[in-house]
């Protein structure tokens, strides 16, 4: 790992992402924006959005450490993996909007106590996880064909990324199980 994990200039990060997009022959625009998310795919606009500060911090969260260039290339092909699934993402838009609206309307104190609401959150998590798995599968195809990054690094970034989605699901699933058990106990008392 000869490369030190040093901070890169914004222009270097942008150039690295753009060159990675070109290497895999994809036609997706890159937008630099402070979002608080390292990198994401905006399927409505067909753009990869990068927060250059956050992408550098996210790389530092990787254990063991890896070169920033490797991390950025891996995350880039992952986001391009989402673009390969754009049709499915677009078809999920109506339901995603319904869930966002329901989350806006639900009072904060009600959220962890309302079984239908938590069930809806689990649906959202399951959908997100499915799209993430598909994007990683697509990224794997890109990496096999174009050899963007080494497989060990690819798997480490993939595992780290998927763990965040899975842990969020597991937290809400625990709440769901507690609510369901409480509801079953209440029904048993009245029967």
């Amino acid at each position: 790992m000869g490369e030190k994990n040093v901070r890169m200039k914004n222009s270097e990060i942008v150039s690295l992402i753009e060159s990675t997009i070109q290497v895999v022959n994809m036609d997706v625009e890159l937008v630099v924006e402070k979002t608080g998310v390292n990198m994401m795919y905006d399927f409505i606009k067909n753009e990869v959005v990068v927060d250059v500060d956050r992408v550098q911090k996210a790389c530092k969260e990787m254990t063991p450490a890896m070169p920033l260039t490797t991390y950025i290339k891996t995350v880039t092909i992952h986001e391009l993996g989402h673009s390969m699934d754009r049709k499915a993402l677009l078809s999920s838009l109506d339901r995603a909007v319904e869930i966002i609206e329901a989350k806006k309307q639900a009072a904060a104190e009600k959220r962890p106590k309302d079984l239908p609401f938590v069930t809806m959150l689990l649906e959202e998590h399951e959908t997100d996880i499915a799209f993430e798995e598909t994007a990683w599968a697509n990224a794997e195809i890109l990496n096999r064909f174009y050899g963007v990054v080494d497989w060990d690094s690819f798997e480490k970034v993939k595992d780290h990324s998927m763990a965040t989605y899975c842990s969020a699901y597991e937290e809400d699933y625990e709440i769901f199980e507690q609510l369901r058990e409480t509801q079953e106990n209440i029904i048993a008392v009245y029967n």
Side-chain angles (χ1 to χ4, degrees), residues 145-162:
F145 194 78
Y146 295 102
V148 178
V149 295
D150 67 278
W151 286 108
D152 187 49
S153 297
F154 181 91
E155 289 297 326
K156 286 177 183 168
V157 176
K158 175 185 170 185
D159 291 347
H160 184 263
S161 172
M162 288 304 299

Side-chain angles (χ1 to χ4, degrees), residues 66-77:
M66 74 172 47
L68 181 57
T69 56
T70 302
Y71 179 80
I72 290 171
K73 287 178 182 181
T74 306
V75 175
T76 300
I77 62 172

Side-chain angles (χ1 to χ4, degrees), residues 73-147:
K73 287 178 182 181
T74 306
V75 175
T76 300
I77 62 172
H78 166 70
E79 296 308 330
L80 295 173
H82 280 300
S83 75
M84 294 166 68
D85 196 31
R86 185 173 186 221
K87 188 174 181 180
L89 288 162
L90 286 167
S91 71
S92 73
L93 185 58
D94 290 341
R95 181 62 181 147
V97 169
E98 288 174 19
I99 291 172
I100 290 167
E101 289 302 317
K103 287 165 76 172
K104 284 181 187 176
Q105 293 173 5
E109 65 276 359
K110 177 185 172 190
R111 290 179 181 182
K113 299 175 185 164
D114 184 67
L115 187 58
F117 183 83
V118 176
T119 302
M120 181 190 65
L121 290 181
L122 290 179
E123 174 192 344
E124 181 182 38
H125 287 306
E126 290 165 355
T127 300
D128 290 346
I129 289 169
F131 281 128
E132 287 301 306
E133 288 172 340
T134 300
W136 280 112
N138 289 339
E140 184 174 329
I141 292 167
L142 292 174
N143 201 43
R144 287 198 186 283
F145 194 78
Y146 295 102

Side-chain angles (χ1 to χ4, degrees), residues 23-34:
V23 161
V24 298
N25 293 314
M26 301 283 288
D27 186 23
V28 178
E29 293 297 316
L30 175 64
V31 175
V32 178
E33 189 176 311
K34 282 211 171 286

Side-chain angles (χ1 to χ4, degrees), residues 23-62:
V23 161
V24 298
N25 293 314
M26 301 283 288
D27 186 23
V28 178
E29 293 297 316
L30 175 64
V31 175
V32 178
E33 189 176 311
K34 282 211 171 286
T35 61
V37 176
N38 59 357
M39 200 180 297
M40 63 184 171
Y41 175 66
D42 181 336
F43 62 90
I44 296 170
K45 296 178 182 177
N46 194 33
E47 300 172 336
V48 170
V49 181
V50 64
D51 182 327
V52 290
D53 292 330
R54 181 64 191 122
V55 79
Q56 293 187 79
K57 290 176 187 168
C59 181
K60 290 177 183 173
E61 295 167 5
M62 293 293 301

